[in-house]
Amino acid sequence: MTEGAAVGVDLSPTSGSEQHSPHFLQDVIFHGKFKLLKALIPEENTQCQHGLYFQDGQRRVDYVLTYHVKKPAGARSSRPTSHLLTENAVARSFRRGRNEHLRNHKAQKAKDSSSLPSSPGADVELGHPGETVNGHEDQKMFRREEFEGILRDMGLELEKDEDTKIAGVGFVKIHAPWNILCREAELMKLKMPTKKVYEVKQLSGVVEKICSLACKLVEPLHPHVEEHQPQNIKHLSHTFSREKQHLFDLSDKDNFFDSKTRSSIVFEILKRTKCKAKYSMGITSLLGSGIFSAAYPLHDGDINEESAVHNDRRLLYEEWANYSVFFKYQPIGLVRKYFGEKIGLYFAWLGLYTQMLIPASLVGVIVFLYGCATVDDNLPSMEICHPKNNITMCPLCDKVCSYWKLSTACGTARASHLFDNPATVFFSIFMALWAAMFMEHWKRRQMRLNYEWDLTGFEDEEDHPRAEYELRVMQKTLSKDHKSNHKTEKLTCQDRLPAYMTNIVMMLLMIGVTFAIVFGVILYRISTKAALYMSSNPVTRSHAQLTVKTTAAIINLVVILILDEVYGAVARWLTVLEVPKTDKSFEERLIFKTFILKFVNAFSPIIYIAFFRGRLVGRPGSYLYVFESYRMEECAHGGCLMELCIQLSITMLGKQLIQNNLFEIGVPKLKKLIRYIRSKQGTFQEEERKKRLQRYETDHFLEPFAGLTPEYMEMIIQFGFVTLFVASFPLAPLFALLNNIIEIRLDAKKFVTELRRPVAARAKDIGIWYNLLRGVANVAVIINAFVISFTSDFIPRMVYQYMYSPDGSMHGFVNHTLSYFNVSHFQEGKEPMDPLHLGYHVEMCRYKDYREPPWSATPYEISKEFWTVLAVRLAFVIIFQNVVMLMSDVVDWLIPDIPKDISMQIHKEKILLVELFMREEHSKSRNLDSRVSGEGKANSSSSNNNNNNYSTTVHPRSGPHNSTGSL
């Protein structure tokens, strides 16, 4: 039974009492833009509104709460029930009846439960575990009605609709009247534009001409979004105050607070409103306990239909969430207006990151083309590929592998030069400076947005406790003695100690699982390589190395994709165990755990190939074995950089194509298909499905907004691919750029069409993500220094050319890096089964290392050349790191965080605000003086008249004295 039915009055918009009431006349004046809709008949009125307004067609739906409804078949009301905020006897009597009903129900439940054994874990608000389903649903209904009553007492207006086309779902539509919006805007310290406008100072001279020319060139790249005022005109903003309403432009009160602001105000009221129960329950607790099933603001309207009213959502769909406008700038201002500052900052950051990838991609392509152009002039690869090269190499594996010619590694050597050349050193330095430039550019962009969005001076608001935290505190309170119930309980470190221990153990376990999988892939490579070399097919044997590298990289990719989903769920579970008090604390802890697990998962195979593979091998005759049978793998003669490039490219491209794009496109489509199949099977009747759903019903089927953490996380991991190992893969920025061009429109379409509208959240920066970006950028400098020094052959080539080369060239470099091994020194049972594979008997074979030959006094010991190269490598790491860090600090110092024009405008706004308030005070004092002088003149004339009429009884000075006294 609906609440309106319980009251027993007709609250529909066509009732005569409403049509002639002062409240109704005030609504007509207040909502002047809907006078035409008011004149329509109720059916046309409802059809025009499409669920964006109450049934009267005037009051906007600012927020929607949904709940489960269980009604007997056929018990459907003819129309939605409207609840108005009235203080008449009917409403008061209903509240008294409802409270009395609640008390009677609790008394009856206490009486019934007295015979039951006490249960310390029972929820006193939702009944005992043994209670019937109907009793449990009644408790939910009573708690829901209590919460709705408190919302009405807070000043909100509610309208319930249980006669919907969605079976089993009821809707509570919430509207915030003007006085409530003003009150909450003042409490939330919202900055609103005043009547005062001022002209933003423009550049002058040559700079202005250059800027105007640049604006004309990029004009086709700007989205077609209407600007309400010229860019050089700005409203002076000030914190809203009800006492100073005359400062603000209130000519159009309906649009003074936009839909984004209205919904955020209502959400703020919902968060701090508590049920008047023994254990208070806010909206988050009510959602967690199932009293309400969902809470969300509404989208502005439709986007696909031809007859759809042109609104911000449709404008975003046409000019932002559309692949045909991929080459245009994003309408960040409109995104912020519709979704709020937090989401606007994300897309502004993503857009700037994508723009900054353009120069990085161009330089990376140039470096790659340089490697392609100089591959034929590279003397080391020419020596390897020379047909007269007769260097015999030692076997790559035990028994099944035989001796091989160095010339067979010609292809690998030539390919390695594409990514291992002097230009990659320059590119590493460039990318380190690029990262610093990007961070500084973003800080300036962020400050400009803060100024344009009136967020200067904004401080983070106090966050409300989460539902889980309130529930744990309630359970802790219930477990205490009744004597301590009056104390305010909270969760201490001792309460969270089991959760902290579980977090540490599970995090270490997950990282151990990642390392174990990397080790498993290593064993796969070793065993598969041995199996392929045993093949009788010569083609298979010749391509064994490439086959093993590629398949291992694909296996790593599949494992990374699977573990990413697992680790995301594990991180959320561990964070829930900690029971953080606020949403901000929950988000930061979740981000930290997720980043650690996903970073280790994505980069562990790459780090192994870059820094460990080929260095834990040993030497012929004394190899290092795992499980006494698996010989550790070594790098090909071209070095591990080529395999590092293969692993990095496959992992990066695979994550972007499969995880970031395919999953984001395919999963929502699959969910839509499942919902359609379910609706076709009976959730909707055929005739019901043909009817048009209201906006709040349509939004109910959209996916709830899950936060920006997944969006930021994939971009942070991509930033790691772009910066951490860019020395081995200069094309990484190009692939990231191509991915992000699609990613921006994909995310935009998801936000506009597939997700419920998020509650607008204010934010002045991107939070913890900036610290993670700076940390990745700093680590990238160190990792690239080690990649150049230890993974590539850059340092050995430089050492040979300037210290050991007889003519100062690279001639003889390959022979210099190879050591000798006497095949008679092989371990028992490890020698090749086919020693005559090359057609001749081998006495000496070569392997890549700096060791003494077998005929020296210290055979197979590390040579002095090794120590020389190692010293230069370590020196290069130190010099490279310090030089790049110094250059980054110089960039940071040269580029101020706040643009000069923005700092000047902020200072100008402060002066204008002071002038505005001084003018206001002067106007007040002048009005007061004029009013006082007017009263003084009136009193003086009255005194004179009295003196003239009663001069015999009044002292001559009594008139002025009385006049002064009256003042």
Side-chain angles (χ1 to χ4, degrees):
M1 182 172 62
T2 61
E3 194 171 335
V7 174
V9 293
D10 186 8
L11 298 176
S12 65
T14 58
S15 62
S17 61
E18 182 184 356
Q19 289 180 359
H20 302 287
S21 66
H23 180 72
F24 171 75
L25 295 177
Q26 182 182 359
D27 282 347
V28 173
I29 298 173
F30 185 81
H31 302 279
K33 66 185 292 185
F34 300 111
K35 287 181 180 178
L36 179 61
L37 297 176
K38 181 71 179 177
L40 298 176
I41 62 175
E43 290 78 13
E44 294 176 347
N45 194 348
T46 304
Q47 186 177 2
C48 291
Q49 301 309 319
H50 300 315
L52 289 172
Y53 296 85
F54 279 16
Q55 290 298 308
D56 57 10
Q58 295 183 355
R59 291 168 296 170
R60 179 188 295 272
V61 178
D62 298 320
Y63 216 84
V64 172
L65 303 177
T66 69
Y67 56 93
H68 296 292
V69 178
K70 286 190 177 182
K71 296 189 297 183
R76 298 173 67 90
S77 59
S78 59
R79 63 177 180 269
T81 305
S82 176
H83 300 286
L84 298 178
L85 179 64
T86 58
E87 291 298 335
N88 53 23
V90 176
R92 288 195 298 270
S93 64
F94 167 73
R95 281 198 290 271
R96 285 197 299 268
R98 183 193 64 205
N99 294 335
E100 184 177 356
H101 193 179
L102 280 171
R103 287 194 298 270
N104 293 337
H105 182 84
K106 286 184 177 181
Q108 181 65 30
K109 192 182 80 169
K111 181 179 179 181
D112 296 340
S113 61
S114 61
S115 60
L116 297 174
S118 61
S119 175
D123 190 347
V124 297
E125 301 299 334
L126 296 179
H128 290 274
E131 199 173 15
T132 62
V133 177
N134 290 333
H136 189 70
E137 292 298 324
D138 288 342
Q139 279 291 329
K140 287 185 177 181
M141 183 185 68
F142 294 144
R143 190 63 60 233
R144 186 165 58 245
E145 291 178 352
E146 180 187 6
F147 185 72
E148 293 168 3
I150 299 174
L151 290 181
R152 295 191 193 93
D153 295 338
M154 294 288 292
L156 299 178
E157 297 179 2
L158 275 61
E159 184 178 77
K160 299 181 75 171
D161 187 1
E162 295 183 355
D163 186 23
T164 65
K165 303 178 184 66
I166 307 176
V169 179
F171 295 88
V172 178
K173 295 174 283 185
I174 303 176
H175 168 77
W178 169 255
N179 60 326
I180 302 303
L181 293 174
C182 294
R183 181 191 72 194
E184 296 299 323
E186 184 174 354
L187 292 176
M188 296 171 63
K189 299 180 181 179
L190 296 181
K191 275 192 174 183
M192 304 301 295
T194 63
K195 296 178 182 179
K196 175 69 176 178
V197 295
Y198 67 95
E199 184 178 2
V200 179
K201 185 178 180 181
Q202 300 294 316
L203 299 174
S204 59
V206 181
V207 179
E208 180 185 8
K209 295 180 180 179
I210 296 175
C211 291
S212 61
L213 179 61
C215 291
K216 290 181 180 179
L217 293 176
V218 300
E219 183 65 28
L221 302 180
H222 288 282
H224 299 293
V225 179
E226 296 181 1
E227 294 290 342
H228 298 286
Q229 61 186 17
Q231 293 183 354
N232 60 335
I233 300 297
K234 188 178 186 297
H235 276 276
L236 187 65
S237 297
H238 180 60
T239 305
F240 187 82
S241 173
R242 286 174 290 180
E243 296 180 355
K244 301 182 183 299
Q245 289 191 33
H246 58 278
L247 297 178
F248 303 93
D249 185 10
L250 304 180
S251 58
D252 186 6
K253 291 186 177 181
D254 295 325
N255 296 318
F256 182 74
F257 295 107
D258 55 14
S259 60
K260 174 256 300 182
T261 306
R262 297 174 70 97
S263 62
S264 62
I265 287 175
V266 174
F267 181 67
E268 186 67 22
I269 297 176
L270 292 175
K271 282 198 300 183
R272 72 166 185 263
T273 301
K274 305 288 186 180
C275 290
K276 297 177 181 178
K278 184 176 181 181
Y279 304 101
S280 61
M281 300 176 69
I283 183 61
T284 52
S285 300
L286 297 176
L287 288 170
S289 59
I291 295 174
F292 288 103
S293 57
Y296 53 89
L298 297 182
H299 281 290
D300 278 356
D302 294 325
I303 56 176
N304 296 323
E305 297 185 8
E306 295 293 335
S307 60
V309 180
H310 207 70
N311 51 67
D312 288 341
R313 187 188 184 196
R314 185 168 186 178
L315 189 60
L316 284 172
Y317 180 75
E318 294 172 351
E319 296 296 330
W320 183 50
N322 201 327
Y323 294 109
S324 61
V325 294
F326 73 92
F327 59 92
K328 291 186 177 182
Y329 295 121
Q330 300 182 85
I332 295 299
L334 187 59
V335 174
R336 173 252 179 178
K337 177 186 175 185
Y338 192 78
F339 292 110
E341 287 79 7
K342 193 171 185 179
I343 295 177
L345 280 173
Y346 163 70
F347 282 102
W349 173 84
L350 181 58
L352 179 65
Y353 171 49
T354 305
Q355 291 179 17
M356 291 291 291
L357 284 173
I358 296 176
S361 302
L362 292 176
V363 177
V365 171
I366 292 173
V367 170
F368 179 75
L369 294 177
Y370 170 82
C372 296
T374 58
V375 66
D376 293 331
D377 301 329
N378 184 36
L379 289 178
S381 60
M382 291 174 62
E383 289 183 353
I384 294 175
C385 299
H386 199 278
K388 296 183 179 180
N389 187 352
N390 197 28
I391 298 179
T392 302
M393 303 296 294
C394 295
L396 296 175
C397 59
D398 293 337
K399 300 169 102 177
V400 296
C401 299
S402 186
Y403 307 104
W404 55 285
K405 290 287 188 181
L406 182 60
S407 57
T408 58
C410 175
T412 304
R414 290 173 62 88
S416 297
H417 178 74
L418 301 178
F419 307 99
D420 186 7
N421 54 72
T424 57
V425 180
F426 158 76
F427 190 56
S428 298
I429 299 175
F430 171 82
M431 287 303 296
L433 297 179
W434 172 87
M437 289 285 292
F438 167 61
M439 305 301 291
E440 294 303 315
H441 196 178
W442 168 244
K443 285 194 292 187
R444 292 170 60 85
R445 173 67 171 158
Q446 191 170 255
M447 285 302 303
R448 189 175 295 276
L449 290 176
N450 285 339
Y451 164 72
E452 294 175 356
W453 295 350
D454 297 322
L455 292 174
T456 52
F458 168 75
E459 296 181 0
D460 293 334
E461 304 169 353
E462 182 181 357
D463 210 349
H464 296 272
R466 300 178 65 249
E468 292 80 1
Y469 181 84
E470 290 181 337
L471 182 61
R472 284 288 301 275
V473 170
M474 186 177 70
Q475 292 174 349
K476 181 180 179 181
T477 306
L478 287 173
S479 63
K480 298 285 185 179
D481 294 335
H482 293 288
K483 296 181 181 180
S484 61
N485 282 344
H486 64 280
K487 297 181 180 179
T488 303
E489 296 290 345
K490 63 179 182 179
L491 298 184
T492 62
C493 292
Q494 185 177 0
D495 297 327
R496 292 192 174 100
L497 184 59
Y500 289 153
M501 297 302 297
T502 305
N503 271 259
I504 295 174
V505 172
M506 288 299 297
M507 290 287 288
L508 295 177
L509 177 63
M510 293 297 102
I511 295 175
V513 168
T514 302
F515 291 159
I517 292 176
V518 172
F519 184 71
V521 175
I522 294 173
L523 296 182
Y524 162 80
R525 277 199 292 257
I526 295 172
S527 58
T528 305
K529 186 187 299 182
L532 291 178
Y533 276 118
M534 293 176 63
S535 174
S536 58
N537 190 343
V539 178
T540 303
R541 291 196 304 269
S542 61
H543 294 87
Q545 289 277 2
L546 182 61
T547 303
V548 170
K549 293 176 185 177
T550 307
T551 55
I554 294 174
I555 292 173
N556 270 322
L557 171 63
V558 174
V559 171
I560 287 172
L561 295 179
I562 295 174
L563 289 183
D564 264 355
E565 303 300 321
V566 175
Y567 288 165
V570 170
R572 178 169 291 276
W573 173 65
L574 292 176
T575 309
V576 169
L577 283 182
E578 293 183 24
V579 197
K581 183 176 181 180
T582 62
D583 287 330
K584 182 178 180 181
S585 176
F586 180 89
E587 184 180 16
E588 290 181 350
R589 297 186 186 196
L590 175 62
I591 289 171
F592 178 75
K593 294 182 184 65
T594 308
F595 175 75
I596 294 296
L597 292 177
K598 292 193 173 183
F599 186 87
V600 172
N601 182 39
F603 291 100
S604 291
I606 300 172
I607 291 175
Y608 163 74
I609 294 174
F611 303 124
F612 296 99
R613 183 177 175 181
R615 290 167 182 82
L616 304 174
V617 178
R619 61 170 179 83
S622 181
Y623 284 115
L624 179 64
Y625 290 89
V626 180
F627 302 139
E628 299 182 356
S629 58
Y630 293 99
R631 192 179 101 185
M632 290 299 294
E633 54 186 349
E634 54 187 300
C635 297
H637 185 77
C640 284
L641 202 65
M642 186 62 196
E643 186 170 351
L644 176 62
C645 177
I646 294 174
Q647 178 69 55
L648 187 63
S649 59
I650 291 179
T651 303
M652 180 180 178
L653 296 178
K655 280 181 65 67
Q656 292 183 163
L657 294 176
I658 299 175
Q659 190 177 45
N660 298 356
N661 294 331
L662 186 61
F663 283 3
E664 290 191 18
I665 296 175
V667 171
K669 298 293 183 184
L670 182 60
K671 290 182 178 180
K672 282 185 178 181
L673 179 62
I674 293 174
R675 286 196 297 266
Y676 174 76
I677 294 174
R678 287 180 177 177
S679 65
K680 198 171 183 180
Q681 289 177 351
T683 304
F684 290 116
Q685 300 295 331
E686 186 65 30
E687 61 274 8
E688 295 280 3
R689 197 163 57 245
K690 292 179 181 178
K691 296 180 182 179
R692 176 167 183 167
L693 295 176
Q694 298 295 318
R695 169 52 47 198
Y696 51 88
E697 295 171 326
T698 304
D699 288 0
H700 178 75
F701 284 105
L702 298 178
E703 290 294 317
F705 176 64
L708 291 171
T709 300
E711 315 298 336
Y712 272 115
M713 188 62 66
E714 64 184 56
M715 289 296 107
I716 296 294
I717 298 297
Q718 185 200 84
F719 184 78
F721 282 120
V722 169
T723 56
L724 290 176
F725 294 92
V726 73
S728 61
F729 190 39
L731 295 180
L734 176 63
F735 291 117
L737 172 63
L738 297 177
N739 173 80
N740 288 3
I741 292 174
I742 302 174
E743 181 73 20
I744 289 176
R745 307 303 165 178
L746 183 64
D747 286 346
K749 192 171 184 179
K750 180 172 65 175
F751 273 84
V752 174
T753 63
E754 297 172 358
L755 295 179
R756 292 174 187 165
R757 187 174 182 178
V759 178
R762 289 186 294 172
K764 61 181 180 180
D765 52 38
I766 59 176
I768 191 175
W769 299 109
Y770 182 83
N771 299 329
L772 293 178
L773 282 170
R774 182 165 289 280
V776 171
N778 292 334
V779 172
V781 176
I782 302 173
I783 287 185
N784 279 299
F786 276 95
V787 168
I788 295 172
S789 296
F790 290 91
T791 308
S792 72
D793 284 337
F794 175 75
I795 298 301
R797 288 197 297 264
M798 294 299 100
V799 170
Y800 174 78
Q801 184 174 359
Y802 295 106
M803 295 184 65
Y804 297 105
S805 176
D807 55 359
S809 67
M810 294 300 296
H811 287 289
F813 170 73
V814 175
N815 186 66
H816 177 75
T817 59
L818 297 177
S819 299
Y820 290 89
F821 178 73
N822 192 334
V823 298
S824 62
H825 295 163
F826 271 121
Q827 293 175 329
E828 185 70 23
K830 304 297 182 181
E831 63 274 3
M833 293 186 298
D834 186 13
L836 300 177
H837 174 71
L838 297 178
Y840 56 88
H841 182 70
V842 177
E843 295 182 355
M844 290 285 180
C845 65
R846 310 290 296 274
Y847 60 99
K848 189 175 182 180
D849 203 350
Y850 291 100
R851 291 184 180 270
E852 297 291 343
W855 55 81
S856 67
T858 56
Y860 307 125
E861 292 294 327
I862 295 176
S863 63
K864 62 179 182 179
E865 287 85 358
F866 171 83
W867 299 110
T868 303
V869 172
L870 179 62
V872 176
R873 280 175 166 168
L874 295 176
F876 177 84
V877 169
I878 296 173
I879 295 173
F880 181 90
Q881 177 183 347
N882 285 276
V883 169
V884 173
M885 290 293 187
L886 177 63
M887 295 174 70
S888 300
D889 292 339
V890 170
V891 171
D892 191 1
W893 176 71
L894 289 176
I895 303 177
D897 295 343
I898 304 178
K900 186 177 181 180
D901 59 329
I902 296 300
S903 60
M904 293 176 61
Q905 294 301 328
I906 293 175
H907 180 67
K908 182 179 179 180
E909 281 195 359
K910 292 180 180 179
I911 296 176
L912 291 175
L913 276 175
V914 173
E915 292 179 355
L916 181 64
F917 290 134
M918 293 298 296
R919 192 181 303 114
E920 179 192 358
E921 292 297 326
H922 180 68
S923 177
K924 283 183 178 180
S925 61
R926 187 170 55 187
N927 293 336
L928 181 62
D929 291 342
S930 62
R931 191 163 55 248
V932 169
S933 62
E935 293 178 0
K937 290 179 181 179
N939 291 335
S940 297
S941 60
S942 175
S943 299
N944 291 333
N945 291 335
N946 291 335
N947 289 335
N948 292 333
N949 294 332
Y950 306 99
S951 58
T952 58
T953 58
V954 179
H955 195 274
R957 293 184 179 182
S958 62
H961 177 76
N962 292 338
S963 176
T964 305
S966 66
L967 291 178

